[in-house]
Amino acid sequence: MKHLQLPSERRVEQTLYRFDRNPPDAGRCLSHLYEIFSRYRPNWGWCRQCFTPEEEARTRDAGDPRRATLESFAQIYFEHPNCSGGRDTFLHWLPRGLELTFLNFENDYFPMEGAMRLGLWRWPKEEQDGLRALFCSVASNWFDGGDPAPFERVMRKSNRDMDSYISARIVEALLMLRVDPFDLFSWLARANSTRARAVLVDLTIHEHLVDEAAYYVLDDATDEPLLRNGIGALDRLALDALRRIVTDGRLMRLWAWADREDRALARRIEDTEPLRMQRAFRLTATERQRDRAIVRAALA
């Protein structure tokens, strides 16, 4: 917590960021992320209602985060962050947590949701930039070639449905990091990738693309309404951007191609049509401008 910048110390934050189409190598991005977060140290004296002395000792003995096993620290993800020492403990393990849990479907934990609860948008710019670079690199690897490196893929089965789940998680993480939704969906629409086409179709039936956290752990509780409003505004901007990119006309042209070349995708377009029409969402230019201002206010 001591490393967070006070509002008066922060530079004016950029509201949305372009998707980096030429990101650094994912391994270098992860290594850089370890360096960025290496200044954080866990706080000890954990809550005894949530953790036994033995459980806390196991995490104390985990060693270098770059080589720690998931079992040595995963327990912190299933209790309130303050019960295991607060923000610093979470941030100490964040790079390793992303590496081992982002695609670990047996643990059912999404570390980016934990980051949002801890006020991700208020973190130092270097930390947010490092996370954005990593996820832009992962997205490029995944949608272009099906490789989610450097995240470890742990699941009981691997099939097209799991591919869709991975795609949606990567997109949600990028949106949480305030990658411009219109720019991101434009990139996906132009990618020569079955995964990219499929995730755009799948997302059209989602009621939300960026869900707000159930609770927040902030230095100043009065910031919570700003963050909730900002995340709601970002969600609306994302839904609007998706419909501006994935128009009915484009879907019809995609279906005509898929009916010849990719029947699984064609069936997906057909099956999602009723719910897609029900959840169609668009903003006016004025509403778009308003929501951008709401997001910007949440960063102040």
Side-chain angles (χ1 to χ4, degrees):
M1 296 174 70
K2 57 183 174 296
H3 301 292
L4 289 183
Q5 296 166 296
L6 296 173
S8 61
E9 297 172 332
R10 287 197 295 262
R11 289 175 291 176
V12 175
E13 181 61 280
Q14 186 173 335
T15 307
L16 298 174
Y17 292 80
R18 296 289 303 274
F19 176 78
D20 188 349
R21 287 157 170 76
N22 296 290
D25 171 76
R28 286 199 293 123
C29 288
L30 181 63
S31 180
H32 183 52
L33 208 63
Y34 275 109
E35 293 173 10
I36 293 170
F37 286 93
S38 64
R39 62 175 175 263
Y40 294 101
R41 294 291 181 270
N43 291 316
W44 304 111
W46 292 0
C47 168
R48 285 294 168 252
Q49 289 184 310
C50 300
F51 302 99
T52 66
E54 292 75 21
E55 288 172 331
E56 181 177 344
R58 183 167 68 240
T59 304
R60 279 180 179 266
D61 295 338
D64 184 347
R66 292 173 186 261
R67 291 183 289 276
T69 63
L70 180 58
E71 293 72 23
S72 67
F73 67 91
Q75 57 197 332
I76 71 174
Y77 296 138
F78 301 101
E79 303 292 347
H80 192 284
N82 286 346
C83 294
S84 56
R87 183 185 285 112
D88 282 17
T89 301
F90 180 91
L91 296 181
H92 174 78
W93 295 108
L94 180 57
R96 187 61 166 166
L98 287 169
E99 193 176 5
L100 299 181
T101 73
F102 189 80
L103 298 181
N104 188 326
F105 299 99
E106 295 180 2
N107 275 58
D108 195 29
Y109 179 78
F110 189 29
M112 289 303 295
E113 290 177 356
M116 291 295 281
R117 282 195 292 270
L118 291 170
L120 170 64
W121 291 2
R122 304 297 185 87
W123 293 4
K125 187 175 184 300
E126 180 188 25
E127 296 172 6
Q128 296 185 56
D129 285 349
L131 287 164
R132 263 189 297 272
L134 174 64
F135 278 99
C136 285
S137 185
V138 169
S140 294
N141 290 340
W142 173 250
F143 288 109
D144 288 344
D147 182 2
F151 298 148
E152 292 193 8
R153 187 169 169 170
V154 181
M155 55 192 71
R156 293 187 178 91
K157 59 181 179 178
S158 176
N159 54 32
R160 191 181 180 101
D161 289 337
M162 278 296 162
D163 277 7
S164 298
Y165 191 42
I166 292 170
S167 297
R169 276 200 162 186
I170 292 172
V171 168
E172 184 181 7
L174 287 164
L175 293 173
M176 287 177 168
L177 288 160
R178 290 183 288 114
V179 171
D180 187 320
F182 190 85
D183 193 50
L184 172 59
F185 296 143
S186 296
W187 173 75
L188 287 169
R190 291 186 176 95
N192 184 22
S193 162
T194 299
R195 290 182 184 84
R197 299 183 192 107
V199 75
L200 287 173
V201 172
D202 290 343
L203 291 176
T204 60
I205 65 171
H206 284 217
E207 188 173 3
H208 297 285
L209 299 181
V210 188
D211 286 328
E212 69 177 22
Y215 63 86
Y216 290 91
V217 186
L218 306 173
D219 288 342
D220 186 346
T222 62
D223 289 337
E224 182 172 334
L226 282 173
L227 279 175
R228 287 194 184 279
N229 290 340
I231 292 166
L234 179 61
D235 183 49
R236 291 189 295 271
L237 288 168
L239 290 167
D240 170 70
L242 183 64
R243 287 300 295 185
R244 289 161 65 202
I245 295 297
V246 189
T247 62
D248 291 339
R250 285 176 176 166
L251 279 171
M252 285 300 298
R253 291 192 292 274
L254 179 60
W255 178 87
W257 171 86
D259 193 43
R260 301 187 306 272
E261 306 292 338
D262 188 342
R263 278 301 303 157
L265 179 60
R267 284 194 300 272
R268 194 177 233 142
I269 295 170
E270 295 161 5
D271 293 344
T272 56
E273 182 177 9
L275 195 53
R276 182 170 66 247
M277 299 303 292
Q278 178 184 332
R279 291 186 172 166
F281 183 90
R282 286 295 296 269
L283 295 172
T284 66
T286 300
E287 289 170 333
R288 225 170 279 138
Q289 187 176 14
R290 174 208 63 194
D291 279 338
R292 278 178 172 264
I294 294 172
V295 173
R296 188 162 54 250
L299 310 176

